[in-house]
Amino acid sequence: MASTYSFDIVSDFDRQEMVNAVDQTVREIKSRYDLKDTKTTVELGEQTITINSDSEFTLDSVSKILREKAAKRNLSQKIFEFGKIESASGSRVRQEITLKKGISQEIAKKISKLIRDEMKKVQPSIQGDAVRVSSKSKDDLQTVMQRLKEEDYPVALQFTNYR
């Protein structure tokens, strides 16, 4: 039996679920009467989603549909970072949505400080864009998870690699 237990705190999203959410959004755009003739496109890149539409109103509608489809697929709204709306060629508008992944050093430091201050038997360590938490007791790790779920961080947190 292991003497210490650990888990990782990461900020990530399921890429396949994002592909499915964008796919469903495109399908709904093609079938909805008010959006059918707008020639709106939604393109999923490696780190971004680009929406190109004929007006700010339809752009707003499409981004709402995208958020709704992502929520139904258990993707956090915190992964979306909406850029500003830009003018595109031919009196069209474009918006780029950045998909946030990873925990920044600043947030990782806040998380590890909170863990160190409140739970004395738990050791957090920052490892790149993740935070590893280790302890001799599984119950302490469960307490850490519960406490972090209560906080509201600007990134979506997941707990992985639990051993």
Side-chain angles (χ1 to χ4, degrees):
M1 192 163 129
S3 60
T4 60
Y5 303 99
S6 67
F7 70 90
D8 293 337
I9 304 168
V10 296
S11 178
D12 203 356
F13 61 90
D14 187 347
R15 177 87 182 154
Q16 187 58 48
E17 291 295 342
M18 181 56 68
V19 169
N20 293 341
V22 169
D23 233 18
Q24 287 182 329
T25 303
V26 169
R27 258 191 248 128
E28 185 162 332
I29 291 168
K30 288 179 181 175
S31 67
R32 270 184 46 173
Y33 178 75
D34 58 336
L35 300 174
K36 197 181 288 186
D37 296 327
T38 60
K39 296 184 178 77
T40 301
T41 60
V42 181
E43 297 169 14
L44 176 63
E46 201 59 40
Q47 303 287 321
T48 60
I49 298 173
T50 306
I51 302 173
N52 193 328
S53 187
D54 66 347
S55 70
E56 284 189 34
F57 178 74
T58 54
L59 189 81
D60 189 45
S61 297
V62 170
S63 63
K64 283 181 184 173
I65 293 169
L66 177 65
R67 291 177 86 141
E68 180 184 299
K69 299 299 181 187
K72 284 184 181 176
R73 300 198 148 273
N74 293 328
L75 293 169
S76 173
Q77 299 297 307
K78 292 179 180 180
I79 64 173
F80 297 117
E81 190 174 292
F82 288 86
K84 63 179 202 259
I85 298 171
E86 308 165 344
S87 295
S89 61
S91 73
R92 297 179 63 79
V93 290
R94 178 188 313 123
Q95 184 175 32
E96 199 162 275
I97 305 166
T98 306
L99 300 172
K100 293 193 285 185
K101 212 176 198 181
I103 299 174
S104 68
Q105 286 292 338
E106 180 183 311
I107 295 171
K109 287 177 183 175
K110 285 181 186 176
I111 290 171
S112 55
K113 181 177 176 358
L114 174 86
I115 294 170
R116 257 191 238 103
D117 291 348
E118 293 189 11
M119 292 93 176
K120 301 297 181 203
K121 296 180 181 178
V122 181
Q123 296 84 38
S125 63
I126 300 171
Q127 297 182 334
D129 60 354
V131 178
R132 171 150 299 159
V133 182
S134 55
S135 173
K136 292 185 188 255
S137 166
K138 285 184 177 181
D139 294 337
D140 290 342
L141 294 180
Q142 294 287 341
T143 308
V144 170
M145 286 183 194
Q146 285 304 123
R147 180 65 182 95
L148 290 175
K149 286 178 183 176
E150 293 169 8
E151 290 292 313
D152 186 33
Y153 291 102
V155 293
L157 298 179
Q158 290 88 31
F159 307 112
T160 60
N161 225 2
Y162 188 79
R163 0 184 140 128

